[in-house]
Amino acid sequence: TKVVLVTSYEDYLYEGYEVGVFRYIKKPARQEEIEKLFNALHSSDPLSKKIEVLCQGRKCEITLSNIAYIESCNNHCEIVTSKGQMTVYQSLKELESLFTERFFVRPHKSYLINWKHVKEFNRQDKYLLMSNDYRIYIAKKRYKMILEAYINMV
């Protein structure tokens, strides 16, 4: 979460940065200042980054925020996005190396998920309900790590 302080009092300028304010805008704000702010917010979002994958013999770019999860299937992976699904002939381990963001985690050896697409963490039955209502079960040995990661994300 990023905090933007919009005020007509300059006294709050330094105090705002002490508590971690992302930007300070003095009233009355000009249109160009607001546009710069939105550009800065968007570019500082790690999920706005794009990755390049090989999909059906050609290079495809995918924005990280669109990826819900990746499933490993024998000799290929299925990347499930908010816009659909694509098949890539790369291993899950190879794809995982492209993700340095903390929003991606492996709850099971066959899945890599994006926390931003998790609707529910079912602790009783030990699964994650994704934004497309697909259930991804959590491996027993990874449960504690996934639970801690989930608590840190919330």
Side-chain angles (χ1 to χ4, degrees):
T1 304
K2 303 228 184 281
V3 176
V4 177
L5 186 61
V6 181
T7 182
S8 55
Y9 299 102
E10 289 182 9
D11 300 346
Y12 296 119
L13 175 66
Y14 297 109
E15 289 177 32
Y17 285 114
E18 287 176 10
V19 295
V21 169
F22 179 69
R23 288 279 197 279
Y24 173 87
I25 295 182
K26 188 172 183 218
K27 288 182 186 177
R30 297 187 324 261
Q31 180 69 29
E32 62 194 46
E33 288 178 299
I34 293 170
E35 288 173 9
K36 280 173 83 175
L37 168 67
F38 281 110
N39 288 336
L41 284 168
H42 182 71
S43 66
S44 69
D45 179 8
L47 290 176
S48 67
K49 178 180 149 189
K50 293 183 179 189
I51 61 162
E52 203 172 78
V53 295
L54 288 173
C55 128
Q56 297 164 348
R58 61 185 173 87
K59 292 181 180 179
C60 298
E61 269 193 352
I62 308 171
T63 305
L64 294 183
S65 61
N66 290 337
I67 298 173
Y69 60 91
I70 303 172
E71 179 181 8
S72 175
C73 306
N74 297 326
N75 66 341
H76 68 280
C77 287
E78 295 293 327
I79 298 178
V80 179
T81 70
S82 51
K83 298 177 182 177
Q85 189 169 320
M86 66 177 63
T87 302
V88 296
Y89 291 92
Q90 291 171 269
S91 70
L92 189 57
K93 189 174 186 173
E94 190 178 343
L95 291 171
E96 186 178 22
S97 70
L98 301 173
F99 301 92
T100 56
E101 286 68 27
R102 64 186 177 97
F103 299 101
F104 289 89
V105 68
R106 280 178 84 163
H108 185 278
K109 69 179 181 176
S110 299
Y111 291 94
L112 180 66
I113 62 111
N114 180 349
W115 280 120
K116 296 292 182 179
H117 285 270
V118 174
K119 281 178 26 177
E120 177 187 330
F121 187 131
N122 187 309
R123 292 181 181 142
Q124 182 178 347
D125 295 325
K126 296 183 173 70
Y127 68 81
L128 301 167
L129 184 65
M130 304 306 292
S131 55
N132 64 351
D133 292 325
Y134 186 75
R135 290 181 181 183
I136 295 177
Y137 287 88
I138 303 166
K140 193 174 188 177
K141 69 179 184 177
R142 297 175 191 238
Y143 182 78
K144 185 178 177 187
M145 182 265 299
I146 296 297
L147 179 60
E148 287 172 5
Y150 177 74
I151 290 168
N152 289 331
M153 291 304 285
V154 177

